[in-house]
Amino acid sequence: MAEVAGLTQTPRYPYCPITRDRRFALPGGARVAMVIYLNIEHFPIDVPAPAHAVYPGTQHLVPDILNYGWRDYGNRVGIWRLMDLLTSLGLRASVNLHADVCREYPELVRAGQALGWEWIAQGHTAANILGAMGEDEARAVIESSVAAIEKATGIRPKGWLSSHLSETWSTPDFLAEAGIEYVCDYACDDQPFAMRVRQGSLLSMPYTLELNDVPGVLGKGLTASDFADVIIDQFDELYREGADIPRVMPISLHPFISGHAFRTRHLRRALEHVVGHEQVWLGTCGELNQWYRQTCGTEPFEALR
């Protein structure tokens, strides 16, 4: 879909308020579905990292040992701490995976496979920012990274998250053409919905910039306790609303942030609060995609009026 002159709303989906009857229900009549996104990423040491710096003052340097070491803690230590936490609560992660992780940190991928984690493609590295690319290059990154994850895991990803949630105008079309069934770039709703694409079908899955430790901790300066309280407050209100209109509550975690012990301690408090309630559906983004397709179909909202 090419750029449209004078465009004021995205051409990918129509406006449809959540109060309109969308025919969406969760398994077992649940009020809230909680989806845990884990971002397992690779930041190459030989190029300046585009984002996620604990100290921006050295971010332009190559090598940037300060920020590289901070991020590398996530894959060496933090992810294993989060893995233990999620497993202890019976939660499986929906992993936004850089394809190069399969080569650089294969133990992580093997461990995730053993736990039944969902793999969501996210390009090759943090440097793959689609919105800064031409359309042909963006399409090539999508196709090659999806193929690399499939080769390493034996499972072709059905989901996609763009690094920095950055797209070209044609990215959704390229995703559908590559066999991707859902995209997590649009943090605009509490429910999945179908998108407009040239061919095939593509769902938008709820994602979050609020229950997300990068903008929350790095951007807004939330303490570990604050971030846990945000999760609890969000859940309690969605649980109340979900008695009438079911909601999806995504939580987005980065091991180099939430994988530090003092943050994991408070994250445990928040997740224990959620799983301690009845009428809460706990699954992966891929399972939510499958459920929505079976129960709601893949027609954009304008076709349902």
Side-chain angles (χ1 to χ4, degrees):
M1 184 175 293
E3 181 177 355
V4 180
L7 189 69
T8 58
Q9 289 192 32
T10 175
R12 292 298 175 179
Y13 54 86
Y15 173 70
C16 182
I18 199 167
T19 51
R20 186 181 298 170
D21 181 13
R22 299 186 181 180
R23 301 184 301 180
F24 176 68
L26 287 168
R31 295 185 182 193
V32 175
M34 180 175 68
V35 175
I36 304 292
Y37 289 102
L38 274 185
N39 298 272
I40 303 183
E41 301 172 322
H42 179 52
F43 294 83
I45 196 170
D46 59 347
V47 296
H52 303 167
V54 69
Y55 176 62
T58 61
Q59 193 173 4
H60 63 289
L61 301 176
V62 176
D64 175 12
I65 299 301
L66 189 159
N67 286 304
Y68 179 83
W70 170 68
R71 298 184 194 99
D72 205 30
Y73 181 91
N75 290 338
R76 295 173 65 89
V77 181
I79 184 61
W80 305 99
R81 184 173 287 126
L82 292 175
M83 189 180 295
D84 288 344
L85 170 61
L86 297 182
T87 302
S88 71
L89 296 175
L91 300 172
R92 286 171 295 127
S94 301
V95 178
N96 299 320
L97 184 69
H98 282 150
D100 283 10
V101 168
C102 299
R103 181 189 69 235
E104 302 290 341
Y105 318 102
E107 288 182 68
L108 289 180
V109 177
R110 289 195 295 268
Q113 285 183 287
L115 294 171
W117 285 2
E118 173 87 8
W119 305 118
I120 299 171
Q122 196 190 174
H124 287 280
T125 74
N128 288 157
I129 303 176
L130 298 189
M133 301 178 184
E135 297 289 8
D136 290 343
E137 184 182 2
R139 172 185 269 161
V141 166
I142 291 169
E143 292 175 349
S144 61
S145 59
V146 168
I149 293 173
E150 181 181 20
K151 181 178 179 180
T153 66
I155 302 171
R156 187 169 181 84
K158 294 184 177 180
W160 178 271
L161 178 87
S162 299
S163 288
H164 312 292
L165 308 187
S166 176
E167 295 186 353
T168 68
W169 286 102
S170 297
T171 292
D173 296 320
F174 298 156
L175 294 175
E177 291 168 5
I180 294 296
E181 295 185 1
Y182 65 89
V183 60
C184 308
D185 292 346
Y186 298 79
C188 62
D189 210 298
D190 286 342
Q191 295 180 353
F193 60 86
M195 304 190 73
R196 300 169 178 143
V197 289
R198 284 193 300 243
Q199 65 182 51
S201 63
L202 186 69
L203 300 183
S204 173
M205 283 292 151
Y207 193 68
T208 178
L209 297 175
E210 299 294 341
L211 273 63
N212 185 320
D213 53 11
V214 165
V217 174
L218 297 187
K220 300 176 183 178
L222 297 180
T223 67
S225 181
D226 290 339
F227 188 64
D229 288 343
V230 168
I231 293 173
I232 291 171
D233 289 346
Q234 178 83 346
F235 170 76
D236 286 348
E237 190 64 14
L238 292 184
Y239 192 78
R240 183 190 66 80
E241 296 175 346
D244 297 319
I245 302 175
R247 310 281 174 152
V248 178
M249 189 180 84
I251 302 173
S252 181
L253 305 173
H254 297 72
F256 53 85
I257 300 175
S258 290
H260 284 274
F262 72 98
R263 292 196 182 99
T264 303
R265 178 182 180 86
H266 288 277
L267 179 62
R268 177 179 289 107
R269 169 171 63 89
L271 296 182
E272 286 177 344
H273 177 80
V274 175
V275 301
H277 284 71
E278 297 180 349
Q279 293 184 281
V280 176
W281 184 79
L282 306 171
T284 66
C285 205
E287 290 167 340
L288 184 59
N289 164 65
Q290 184 177 18
W291 170 260
Y292 189 93
R293 286 173 174 270
Q294 291 173 347
T295 59
C296 299
T298 57
E299 292 294 331
F301 285 134
E302 70 266 26
L304 302 176
R305 293 177 181 173

